[in-house]
Amino acid sequence: MPNRTALITGAARGLGAVVARRFHEAGYNVALADIAIAPVQALARELSQDESTACAIELDVTSKADFETARDALLTRWGTVDVLVNNAGASKIVPVMEITAEQFDQVIDVNLRSVLFGCQVFGQYFANRGAGRIVNIASLAGQNGGSATGAHYAAAKGGTLTLTKVFARDLASRGVTVNAIAPGPLDLPIVHESVPADTLQKVMAGLPAGRLGSASYIADVAVMLASADAYFANGACWDVNGGLYMR
Ligand SMILES: NC(=O)c1ccc[n+]([C@@H]2O[C@H](COP(=O)([O-])OP(=O)(O)OC[C@H]3O[C@@H](n4cnc5c(N)ncnc54)[C@H](O)[C@@H]3O)[C@@H](O)[C@H]2O)c1
């Protein structure tokens, strides 16, 4: 594959790290972006000792300027950016009646404002060059209202699905596709850390698949959506939720 570059946000751990590894395996140069710089530097060096095909970028997804700086740095480094995966996310479990304005704004900023800024900065650049792929990591919570993860998170992910369609429509005629993936609960450290064990048991019992989802499969879907052949898939939400939610 000739010199293709993918930028993955929130690549320091969890799903983002798995997605970054998968793009690298698929032959992409990968830019690992996160506010946590040390782990992305370590992962970049693990993937590419001399950092010729993987690099770390300190990027706060709530800052549009950080996306612009990252775009410019990658153009200088590799001459091209072809794929943006808006993966970074965060939440804190709070009952809906108790969410404060500050908590609401924080979760909306990291999960939704990030998608707006990423799509604006890279969508414009992709449109100008007539090619590009954006994959937004949403969530089942954005479709069914969620439960354990919090109303602010579910609202942000629902907004991500809407922005996916808005940007897909806006950029469709200029060689750019924008799609979302909506995973159900995945077998990742954050799930085991943030969901109490008894709640997790109940979640798994309610999953038709009978077990948590595989992050590496989500990464496969992201790579599939990033391919040149995926030009006809646009504005879509790819449900990967173990059969928990069907529409
Ligand atoms: N884990 C699941 O079961 C699951 C299910 C559905 C959707 N998702 C989505 O997948 C994505 C990744 O989730 P995860 O489980 O790997 O979470 P995680 O908490 O393990 O990783 C999130 C990463 O985002 C980074 N991050 C947080 N705030 C940031 C900011 N302001 N700027 C840049 N980076 C920032 C963190 O440093 C971290 O590396 C999220 O969008 C999440 O909503 C996860």
Side-chain angles (χ1 to χ4, degrees):
M1 187 178 55
N3 193 28
R4 272 170 70 82
T5 296
L7 168 66
I8 298 102
T9 68
R13 54 174 265 161
L15 181 59
V18 176
V19 169
R21 283 178 190 279
R22 184 71 192 86
F23 270 94
H24 195 255
E25 281 164 17
Y28 285 79
N29 296 324
V30 288
L32 315 176
D34 209 290
I35 34 169
I37 187 66
V40 276
Q41 281 170 335
L43 181 53
R45 277 195 292 270
E46 183 199 318
L47 294 177
S48 174
Q49 191 101 47
D50 62 357
E51 297 193 21
S52 58
T53 59
C55 73
I57 294 184
E58 191 166 5
L59 182 153
D60 180 345
V61 291
T62 67
S63 159
K64 188 172 179 181
D66 278 11
F67 276 104
E68 291 166 341
T69 304
R71 175 202 59 203
D72 296 345
L74 288 173
L75 290 182
T76 302
R77 188 183 190 99
W78 284 315
T80 174
V81 186
D82 306 275
V83 180
L84 168 67
V85 182
N86 278 316
N87 164 81
S91 189
K92 197 165 188 282
I93 300 167
V94 188
V96 63
M97 293 299 186
E98 294 167 25
I99 297 171
T100 64
E102 192 189 11
Q103 288 166 335
F104 190 80
D105 288 350
Q106 272 173 3
V107 169
I108 294 291
D109 281 358
V110 176
N111 294 281
L112 184 58
R113 208 155 88 120
S114 57
V115 174
L116 175 74
F117 290 158
C119 289
Q120 284 178 332
V121 172
F122 282 89
Q124 190 61 62
Y125 158 70
F126 291 155
N128 290 346
R129 69 199 278 264
R133 299 277 181 263
I134 298 176
V135 179
N136 295 324
I137 305 297
S139 171
L140 168 64
Q143 298 174 301
N144 72 356
S147 53
T149 40
H152 41 6
Y153 175 82
K157 292 300 186 177
T160 296
L161 295 175
T162 299
L163 284 185
T164 298
K165 289 184 235 181
V166 173
F167 278 103
R169 197 171 292 121
D170 194 58
L171 300 170
S173 63
R174 288 177 282 170
V176 184
T177 66
V178 186
N179 289 285
I181 305 174
L186 301 173
D187 196 357
L188 280 169
I190 186 90
V191 173
H192 297 279
E193 287 163 16
S194 60
V195 184
D198 54 336
T199 309
L200 198 54
Q201 281 305 322
K202 282 185 204 146
V203 169
M204 283 199 272
L207 267 171
R211 56 183 174 146
L212 296 172
S214 143
S216 66
Y217 180 68
I218 304 295
D220 286 343
V221 175
V223 170
M224 178 270 289
L225 289 171
S227 77
D229 284 346
Y231 69 93
F232 214 52
N234 203 7
C237 173
W238 298 77
D239 299 353
V240 188
N241 58 41
L244 202 52
Y245 177 79
M246 299 179 189
R247 62 193 166 111

